[in-house]
Amino acid sequence: MVDSLSNSGHEQGLKDALRKCQLTCQTAHDTASLPVVLEFLSSNPSATVPIAVIRGDFLSLLSLLYSHATNLALSFKPPPTTAASIKCLNDIGNDVARFSNCATTVTASEHGSTLKKEFSWAVQEIIESIKALAEASPDDSSVEDRKLYLRRAGEVHAAIDKVRRNLPQDNYEAVQKRWKENSEALDDALGECKEMLEEEGDGNDDDLDDGWNDVLGTDSNAQKMSAEERERASKVHSLLRLMILLHKRFLSHHLVKLKQRIPTTEGYQIFDKMILLSSELAANMDDLVASLYSPQDIISLQSKTKPIMDIIHKFRIQVIRPVDSSDNSNASHQTAEQRENTTDAEKDRKWFETCFQQIERASQELKL
C-alpha cells in the first residue's frame, strides 16, 4: 500500500514537473518573440554589458541545456527514473529562464537591432525544441512512441549545435550573415527568371503532356508569353543581374570599409538601416519576378518596380558621396598608405556610380 502511494506520488510529481517545465518554456518563448518589450525591460543605460560577455554567458547556458536534454532523455529510458526526470525538468526550467533573460541583455541601442534579432530567434528555436522534448511522454505504450523522447532530445542537440555555429560575434557579423541570405534570395529570383525565359523559349511542352499535368496539378493550358512580355522579362533579368552585382559589392566594398572608419554604435545604426533595405530589395525583386508570368499586368509591374528603384536610390545616397576638396588640398601631406586608400575609395566610388547608371538605364528600358 505504501509502495503504491509512493509510486502514485512520484507519478504526480513527474506530471507537475512536466507541466511546469512546459509553462516555463512557453513563457520564455513568448517573451523572446516580443523584441520591443524585451528592449524596454532590459534597457539600463548605466549598466551596459559588453556583447562578448553576453555571448559567452549565452553559449555557457546552451551547454547546460544540451547536457540537461541528454540527462532527461536518459531518465526517460524504460524503465523511467522518475526522481531523476523531475530533477532534470526542474534544472531545464531554471536554465531556460536564465537563457531567455540572458538574451534580453542584448539591446538594439547598444549592440544593434540585427544582432538582437539573431539572439531572439536563437532563443525561440532552442526553446521550441526543449518544450517539444518536455511534451514527449515516457509512458507511451508503443515502441515508436517510447523512442519519441530520443528523437526530441536529438532535435534539441541539433538546434543547439546550429546556434553555436551561426551565432554572430557582433552586429556587423549579424548584418553580414543576413546580407548573404538576401544575396541567395536574389540569386533564386534570378534563377526563376532565367528558367521562365528558357521554358518560354522551348515550345515543346505540349508534346510532353500525357496526363501527368492533371496528376501533378500543373496547368497544361498556361498562357505563353507574347513577344512583348518575353522581351520585358528579359529586361527584368538584365536589371536583376545588375542589382545582384551591386548588392554583393556593397557588402564587400562599402560596409566593410564603413566598419573600419566610424564609431561602433553609429556603425550599428547604419548597418541596421542597410540590412532593412537589403531585405526589402530581395522581397520586392521576388514579387517583381513572380509578376512576369503571362498574362502580365502592366499596372502591377509598375507598382512593383517603383519601390525597387526607390531602394536603389537609397543605396546610392549611402555610397556616393561628394569628393571632399580638402582631401586634394592636403594630398601632399598624406602618407603613402593614406594616398593609396584615397585612390581605392575613388575607384570604388566610380564603380558604384557606373553600376547605378547602368541600373537606371536598364529600368528605363523596361518602359513600364
Side-chain angles (χ1 to χ4, degrees):
M1 182 69 174
V2 173
D3 290 341
S4 177
L5 290 174
S6 177
N7 290 337
S8 177
H10 282 310
E11 290 176 4
Q12 186 59 45
L14 178 58
K15 290 179 180 178
D16 291 342
L18 285 167
R19 280 196 295 267
K20 182 180 177 181
C21 183
Q22 293 164 17
L23 180 60
T24 300
C25 288
Q26 188 61 55
T27 301
H29 182 277
D30 292 346
T31 303
S33 64
L34 299 172
V36 175
V37 174
L38 289 182
E39 181 78 3
F40 173 76
L41 291 174
S42 62
S43 59
N44 187 352
S46 63
T48 301
V49 183
I51 190 58
V53 174
I54 297 173
R55 191 174 183 276
D57 291 344
F58 193 82
L59 293 175
S60 295
L61 287 166
L62 277 178
S63 296
L64 285 175
L65 292 173
Y66 191 103
S67 177
H68 293 333
T70 302
N71 292 335
L72 183 61
L74 291 174
S75 73
F76 279 175
K77 185 178 180 181
T81 311
T82 306
S85 297
I86 293 174
K87 182 182 183 306
C88 288
L89 288 165
N90 289 335
D91 290 341
I92 288 174
N94 291 333
D95 286 335
V96 159
R98 293 172 59 202
F99 179 61
S100 179
N101 288 336
C102 180
T104 68
T105 58
V106 181
T107 66
S109 58
E110 295 296 333
H111 307 110
S113 65
T114 309
L115 183 63
K116 179 179 176 61
K117 291 175 184 175
E118 288 287 329
F119 272 80
S120 177
W121 291 333
V123 168
Q124 292 177 63
E125 183 174 4
I126 297 297
I127 291 179
E128 283 176 3
S129 65
I130 292 175
K131 183 172 180 288
L133 172 60
E135 291 171 344
S137 173
D139 296 326
D140 289 331
S141 57
S142 72
V143 174
E144 186 64 26
D145 286 341
R146 286 201 301 271
K147 291 182 178 179
L148 176 61
Y149 59 86
L150 293 176
R151 293 200 301 272
R152 296 281 175 84
E155 289 167 3
V156 174
H157 292 164
I160 290 175
D161 286 338
K162 177 183 175 183
V163 170
R164 282 171 172 168
R165 290 193 305 270
N166 299 325
L167 188 67
Q169 299 276 352
D170 55 24
N171 197 57
Y172 175 73
E173 195 170 297
V175 167
Q176 190 178 41
K177 175 187 172 185
R178 293 279 305 284
W179 201 280
K180 290 178 180 178
E181 291 172 357
N182 290 336
S183 288
E184 291 175 0
L186 287 170
D187 288 337
D188 289 343
L190 181 66
E192 181 181 357
C193 190
K194 181 181 179 181
E195 183 178 345
M196 183 190 310
L197 289 168
E198 290 174 347
E199 289 178 353
E200 288 293 333
D202 182 3
N204 298 321
D205 288 348
D206 291 340
D207 297 336
L208 300 177
D209 182 8
D210 55 1
W212 283 106
N213 286 322
D214 293 333
V215 175
L216 298 175
T218 56
D219 185 2
S220 61
N221 297 316
Q223 184 173 329
K224 294 292 184 180
M225 284 182 178
S226 65
E228 182 180 358
E229 287 176 332
R230 179 175 171 77
E231 181 182 3
R232 193 176 293 123
S234 179
K235 290 177 178 178
V236 169
H237 183 268
S238 299
L239 177 64
L240 182 51
R241 289 180 62 189
L242 289 169
M243 289 184 176
I244 288 175
L245 285 174
L246 171 67
H247 188 263
K248 291 181 178 178
R249 181 93 173 190
F250 200 92
L251 174 63
S252 62
H253 284 70
H254 181 66
L255 293 184
V256 170
K257 295 180 180 179
L258 198 64
K259 178 177 182 286
Q260 298 169 350
R261 70 171 188 263
I262 59 177
T264 300
T265 304
E266 180 184 347
Y268 286 169
Q269 295 172 357
I270 294 175
F271 297 150
D272 288 334
K273 290 178 181 177
M274 295 313 301
I275 193 59
L276 290 177
L277 289 178
S278 168
S279 298
E280 289 176 10
L281 178 63
N284 279 280
M285 281 305 308
D286 187 62
D287 288 344
L288 177 59
V289 171
S291 300
L292 292 174
Y293 289 97
S294 187
Q296 294 175 0
D297 184 332
I298 299 300
I299 296 178
S300 176
L301 288 171
Q302 287 175 336
S303 68
K304 289 175 170 56
T305 303
K306 185 181 184 304
I308 291 173
M309 296 311 299
D310 289 343
I311 293 169
I312 294 299
H313 178 67
K314 292 175 182 177
F315 270 102
R316 192 176 190 279
I317 291 174
Q318 281 291 327
V319 76
I320 303 297
R321 306 284 186 182
V323 178
D324 191 345
S325 59
S326 63
D327 291 341
N328 294 328
S329 62
N330 296 326
S332 59
H333 303 290
Q334 292 179 337
T335 64
E337 182 179 356
Q338 289 174 326
R339 286 195 293 272
E340 183 179 353
N341 290 338
T342 300
T343 301
D344 289 343
E346 180 61 18
K347 288 180 180 178
D348 285 342
R349 191 186 70 82
K350 289 181 178 179
W351 188 95
F352 280 113
E353 185 63 69
T354 300
C355 188
F356 284 121
Q357 291 173 355
Q358 291 179 344
I359 289 175
E360 182 64 30
R361 190 178 301 116
S363 69
Q364 292 296 328
E365 289 179 358
L366 280 173
K367 297 179 182 179
L368 295 178

